[in-house]
Amino acid sequence: MVTLEGTVEEIIFCNEVNGYTVCEIRCEGNAVTAVGYMPFICVGEVLKVTGKWVDHPDYGQQLKVENYEKALPQTADAIEKYLSSGVIKGIGPATAAKIVARFGPDTLNIMQFKPEMLAEVKGISLDKAFKIGQAYAEQSGLRTVILFFQEYGISPTYSMKIYKAFGENTIQEIKANPYRLSDEIFGIGFKTADRIARAMGIDPMSKYRISSGIRYVLSQAAANGHTFIPDEQLKKYTSELLEVDVRDITDALVSLMLDKAVYVEKREDFNAVYLSAFYHAEVGVCSKLAELSAMRIEEEESALPDRLDEVQREAGIVLAPDQKTAVREALVNGVTVITGGPGTGKTTIIKSIIMLLHREGCEVALAAPTGRAAKRMTEATGYEAKTIHRLLEIGFAGQDDQLVFSRSESSPIDADVVIIDEMSMVDVLLMNHLLKAIAPGTRLVLVGDTDQLPSVGPGNVLKDIIKSGAVKTVRLTEVFRQEEESMIILNAHRINRGEYPVLNRKDKDFFLVPRRSGEDIVKTVVELCCRRLPATYGYDPIKHIQVLTPARKGTAGVLNLNAELQKVLNPRQEGKCERVFHGFTFREGDRVMQVKNNYNLKWEKTGSKRGEGMGVFNGDTGIIRKIDDEEQRVEVLFEDDRVVRYDYSILDEIEPAFAITVHKSQGSEFPVAVLPIFPGPRILMTRNLLYTAVTRARDLVVLVGSENVLAEMISNERETLRYSGLADKLKRITAGLPERL
């Protein structure tokens, strides 16, 4: 074994996921190439490395590092190099030079013990001085945490997230209960936490382990859309996961029930096991819908025909019988569901309802689950619509800055009528929060298409409400935008009926480009997005064209398509900053998508619509405007002009979005949708997935792939099973039956 000590002169290569690094170290005047797992080292740092000499066939002699220690630089030149590397948030090369010029070799002591003195440097405010001091202190603690977790195969990126969550006591907290990693850190699964726990010597029969395993299985079920799973399935999956006896799982489950972490509901054929949040959400949705739907406004009915005639004359429209029924029911019922496919006149109905209510002096609130859907609702109706989160005024409260919805039972939404569009996207948790904020006597109108894919989040809210029969429902079947206007509408309904679409008619908007192999499909998709569609129709490939694919993995999946599209749509060029994360190179100009709800993220708007707020949500898309290595953050401009700054430690919350899954496209509308059609699992390649994808396009649909696979998707009526108890609860409460326990 060889031990050397020297200054890092150059970082030749660094894999930020696992910390594998190739660097050049200056030792007593000689340059040594060192290779090995050395996370978060920076140019200018002094390293003490231990390892073995090896001969690389291309690069010659290298030191293969097995252990290393960091020592802080001592000379002014070394300190400047160290700070210029971006190791401390808020300090870049220019700032580093000014600080070292002022404080020389004493710079690091000043940063650690007297950070306020940094304000003596021109361009550094007192506030920034303290932030630099805090960042330096955090860097010391973070370094210890990174080295600790390195032993267990946790990447530096996730070590940063863990440190951010647990702070100075990270190591003590995780040693006490390693399973908190999977319970509390987004991106770290139970199996990783379990492996760490085993390495730490945690007893396989530990109550922490079995309880965490049960929670993990229930959480995985929720991630797949279920609000509960049958108890026998839960025990089977947990037993296989933990390799423990079912009896031990039963004991732990009873303990979780006593702690009210889970609820068990008796059903006819099995016992349903819920995480407590989903059980309370279903009960809350059920009771509030029953309360609101009990209201009926009889005085509306007699005068309605004449008022409806006035609105039709004023708006220059003629409502069909089904549309008139929908308007009437929305005005006289406490809760009304209006459901129908594209082109069935849902928007016309919403506009008519609003016009009638405004004539009465009623206050109407419009909302949709996502920013895109809310924007579409605003454009289609001419009235302002908000996201449901904005309608509920999400914010912070209390000494702990706990996230809350300002609108609730104690401070309900200030409206006489609330209209929600794209209801198929609303999961049970969001629905519960919404209903809590609707005061008794307020009318609620729910609009959506039940044939689309269900919500990404748990539950099957719209279908369950309709299935229960507890709420007045109007189904729209007549299509008003006919073949001569839109082949997209015609084909969407043909697909939904199990019929093959009409393809490739001249001067129309629905095409299939036949391709066989995955490689040819990808090549054609890229060519369409980058050259053919922009040249033929004038579409902007970044703003107007969206690739939608059924799968994440595979040749024509999201991961590969994003890499291939980025090469052409936003290639590497001088002056354009980049950041490698999880195998993808984020680049200024990339289109990206938020992939989880983050209520803590701050956003701001500039220009004429200046403002600020909190919360970025799953499915929001935007463009990377700036990557700042000095501040260690990525700035994203979202489509509704919100600017959000992501710290490097939470970059796993955004993904490239040149291509997205069909599930992630729900509630959105794009001028052009390009859909690769390729062989895949029957559970995935379904009719309603294809239907959902096609209905996302406003102007043009281009399918690329096999006609046979397209036919197979249309014939595949399979719908993924979702365990949800809302329909049953609504039926029981409507029938006056007691709650199941």
Side-chain angles (χ1 to χ4, degrees):
M1 298 289 280
V2 177
T3 299
L4 300 174
E5 185 171 325
T7 303
V8 179
E9 291 281 316
E10 182 184 0
I11 305 291
I12 299 167
F13 170 79
C14 179
N15 182 328
E16 295 195 17
V17 175
N18 60 20
Y20 184 82
T21 303
V22 180
C23 66
E24 189 173 280
I25 301 174
R26 179 67 59 177
C27 303
E28 298 178 353
N30 297 316
V32 173
T33 301
V35 299
Y37 294 95
M38 297 176 282
F40 280 72
I41 66 168
C42 300
V43 172
E45 283 187 309
V46 176
L47 295 187
K48 185 177 182 180
V49 294
T50 301
K52 296 178 181 178
W53 292 111
V54 295
D55 284 314
H56 191 281
D58 295 322
Y59 304 113
Q61 192 178 56
Q62 299 176 335
L63 184 67
K64 187 176 181 181
V65 176
E66 296 188 9
N67 294 293
Y68 78 101
E69 297 176 14
K70 290 187 178 185
L72 291 174
Q74 302 297 318
T75 68
D77 285 345
I79 291 171
E80 184 177 337
K81 274 188 180 179
Y82 171 66
L83 295 178
S84 296
S85 68
V87 66
I88 305 299
K89 188 175 180 179
I91 300 180
T95 305
K98 288 192 286 186
I99 293 174
V100 175
R102 172 68 182 83
F103 299 109
D106 204 29
T107 295
L108 298 183
N109 285 329
I110 295 294
M111 290 172 63
Q112 183 172 3
F113 300 111
K114 297 180 180 179
E116 68 277 5
M117 289 181 65
L118 296 173
E120 297 174 11
V121 176
K122 187 176 181 181
I124 298 180
S125 65
L126 186 61
D127 181 56
K128 184 172 182 178
F130 280 117
K131 284 182 178 178
I132 290 172
Q134 183 181 1
Y136 182 73
E138 287 176 355
Q139 188 68 27
S140 177
L142 176 60
R143 192 180 299 137
T144 304
V145 169
I146 288 169
L147 292 173
F148 172 77
F149 283 113
Q150 184 185 358
E151 294 181 34
Y152 303 105
I154 298 291
S155 73
T157 300
Y158 278 108
S159 295
M160 288 173 67
K161 290 193 78 167
I162 297 166
Y163 181 75
K164 199 167 185 178
F166 297 105
E168 294 178 1
N169 297 321
T170 295
I171 294 173
Q172 298 94 305
E173 296 276 356
I174 299 307
K175 279 184 174 180
N177 180 8
Y179 295 99
R180 292 184 67 184
L181 290 172
S182 58
D183 292 342
E184 301 179 38
I185 304 298
F186 175 72
I188 295 184
F190 173 82
K191 291 180 181 178
T192 299
D194 196 36
R195 176 173 51 78
I196 293 170
R198 294 290 192 96
M200 289 181 177
I202 300 292
D203 184 352
M205 301 308 298
S206 158
K207 67 174 184 177
Y208 289 138
R209 181 171 188 261
I210 298 176
S211 296
S212 185
I214 291 170
R215 290 175 192 256
Y216 172 73
V217 171
L218 290 171
S219 296
Q220 287 296 103
N224 290 319
H226 306 294
T227 58
F228 71 81
I229 54 175
D231 58 343
E232 292 305 317
Q233 284 191 30
L234 172 66
K235 291 172 185 176
K236 176 177 178 288
Y237 296 153
T238 309
S239 175
E240 291 172 356
L241 175 73
L242 303 180
E243 298 179 342
V244 299
D245 192 273
V246 168
R247 286 171 297 184
D248 297 311
I249 295 166
T250 302
D251 292 343
L253 186 57
V254 170
S255 179
L256 286 168
M257 288 169 60
L258 293 173
D259 292 339
K260 297 187 176 180
V262 303
Y263 278 77
V264 177
E265 182 181 77
K266 292 182 180 178
R267 300 172 72 87
E268 270 118 31
D269 302 323
F270 57 84
N271 292 331
V273 186
Y274 290 80
L275 285 171
S276 59
F278 302 123
Y279 177 78
H280 290 306
E282 279 193 357
V283 170
V285 168
C286 189
S287 60
K288 195 60 185 276
L289 277 176
E291 177 189 357
L292 292 172
S293 60
M295 179 182 71
R296 188 170 176 87
I297 306 169
E298 304 291 347
E299 62 268 21
E300 293 277 1
E301 298 198 55
S302 58
L304 187 57
D306 291 339
R307 291 167 52 215
L308 206 48
D309 288 342
E310 288 178 24
V311 165
Q312 290 180 91
R313 284 195 298 272
E314 182 182 322
I317 59 173
V318 177
L319 295 174
D322 279 354
Q323 291 178 304
K324 288 181 179 179
T325 300
V327 173
R328 182 177 65 252
E329 297 296 345
L331 292 178
V332 302
N333 287 295
V335 183
T336 307
V337 172
I338 301 170
T339 183
T344 54
K346 297 189 293 294
T347 299
T348 301
I349 291 167
I350 293 172
K351 288 169 72 173
S352 300
I353 293 168
I354 296 169
M355 291 174 70
L356 284 164
L357 291 168
H358 280 176
R359 284 170 175 244
E360 293 180 16
C362 291
E363 187 70 30
V364 182
L366 308 181
T370 67
R372 273 183 177 270
K375 186 178 180 182
R376 285 177 59 199
M377 195 180 188
T378 299
E379 292 169 349
T381 64
Y383 298 94
E384 184 191 7
K386 300 177 179 179
T387 63
I388 296 174
H389 291 89
R390 276 189 63 212
L391 181 68
L392 297 177
E393 298 179 14
I394 191 167
F396 294 92
Q399 292 182 343
D400 298 330
D401 278 347
Q402 188 177 0
L403 267 164
V404 296
F405 289 112
S406 298
R407 296 296 180 180
S408 60
E409 299 99 328
S410 58
S411 179
I413 297 165
D414 186 17
D416 302 296
V417 182
V418 176
I419 303 176
I420 306 295
D421 198 10
E422 294 286 359
M423 264 300 299
S424 63
M425 294 182 66
V426 178
D427 63 43
V428 71
L429 294 177
L430 184 57
M431 188 65 176
N432 188 39
H433 285 298
L434 173 66
L435 291 175
K436 283 180 181 178
I438 296 179
T442 302
R443 279 170 281 187
L444 176 64
V445 182
L446 307 175
V447 184
D449 183 351
T450 58
D451 292 317
Q452 288 189 28
L453 292 170
S455 59
V456 174
N460 217 355
V461 174
L462 181 60
K463 282 189 178 180
D464 279 355
I465 292 172
I466 294 171
K467 181 181 175 182
S468 72
V471 171
K472 183 64 184 180
T473 299
V474 180
R475 295 179 183 273
L476 306 171
T477 55
E478 185 176 352
V479 180
F480 298 100
R481 285 182 278 170
Q482 297 298 333
E483 179 179 343
E484 61 272 10
E485 184 179 345
S486 173
M487 296 296 290
I488 296 174
I489 302 297
L490 171 75
N491 282 334
H493 287 279
R494 287 180 68 88
I495 289 167
N496 207 26
R497 294 193 299 266
E499 300 170 11
Y500 199 78
V502 179
L503 302 168
N504 299 343
R505 285 198 177 174
K506 189 177 180 182
D507 299 325
K508 291 298 181 181
D509 54 11
F510 204 105
F511 299 94
L512 171 69
V513 182
R515 293 291 184 271
R516 291 293 176 192
S517 71
E519 291 76 11
D520 285 344
I521 289 172
V522 170
K523 183 179 177 181
T524 302
V525 166
V526 172
E527 186 182 2
L528 283 164
C529 294
C530 303
R531 187 179 62 81
R532 291 169 60 178
L533 293 177
T536 304
Y537 299 96
Y539 290 116
D540 183 318
I542 297 289
K543 293 180 180 178
H544 300 143
I545 303 172
Q546 182 64 63
V547 177
L548 305 176
T549 182
R552 284 187 59 80
K553 298 180 180 179
T555 305
V558 163
L559 302 179
N560 187 52
L561 277 168
N562 272 309
E564 294 301 317
L565 286 163
Q566 186 198 42
K567 288 177 187 176
V568 183
L569 292 176
N570 190 30
R572 176 175 291 141
Q573 64 185 64
E574 192 175 343
K576 190 175 278 189
C577 294
E578 301 179 347
R579 177 74 179 178
V580 178
F581 186 82
H582 277 202
F584 185 83
T585 302
F586 287 106
R587 188 172 296 140
E588 291 174 347
D590 278 352
R591 183 160 66 195
V592 293
M593 173 179 281
Q594 176 79 10
V595 294
K596 65 165 286 192
N597 289 339
N598 187 331
Y599 303 102
N600 297 295
L601 267 178
K602 183 179 178 181
W603 55 261
E604 60 183 44
K605 289 186 178 182
T606 56
S608 59
K609 295 183 178 180
R610 196 175 190 86
E612 61 180 34
M614 304 295 294
V616 186
F617 305 106
N618 192 353
D620 289 352
T621 57
I623 303 293
I624 293 180
R625 194 162 73 169
K626 185 178 181 182
I627 295 177
D628 189 336
D629 278 331
E630 181 170 323
E631 293 295 329
Q632 297 182 17
R633 66 188 184 190
V634 173
E635 189 175 284
V636 178
L637 174 64
F638 283 93
E639 291 179 329
D640 51 3
D641 296 325
R642 291 176 300 159
V643 176
V644 178
R645 295 174 181 88
Y646 290 82
D647 187 271
Y648 281 174
S649 65
I650 58 168
L651 279 185
D652 57 347
E653 294 189 11
I654 58 173
E655 290 182 354
F658 299 106
I660 61 176
T661 61
V662 177
H663 282 83
K664 289 290 188 183
S665 74
Q666 289 172 262
S668 300
E669 183 181 72
F670 312 99
V672 182
V674 178
L675 317 175
I677 304 294
F678 53 89
R682 279 187 61 79
I683 193 171
L684 183 66
M685 311 299 282
T686 62
R687 179 189 297 174
N688 72 331
L689 181 137
L690 179 63
Y691 171 77
T692 300
V694 165
T695 56
R696 298 308 87 207
R698 185 180 70 232
D699 302 334
L700 183 65
V701 170
V702 184
L703 311 179
V704 182
S706 164
E707 293 172 299
N708 291 336
V709 173
L710 178 61
E712 288 170 8
M713 289 184 74
I714 293 166
S715 66
N716 184 7
E717 292 186 82
R718 178 173 182 167
E719 288 190 30
T720 304
L721 171 68
R722 279 202 171 193
Y723 289 116
S724 168
L726 182 60
D728 179 68
K729 288 182 174 66
L730 280 167
K731 286 177 184 176
R732 293 182 68 81
I733 199 169
T734 304
L737 297 173
E739 183 181 323
R740 297 183 192 271
L741 290 172

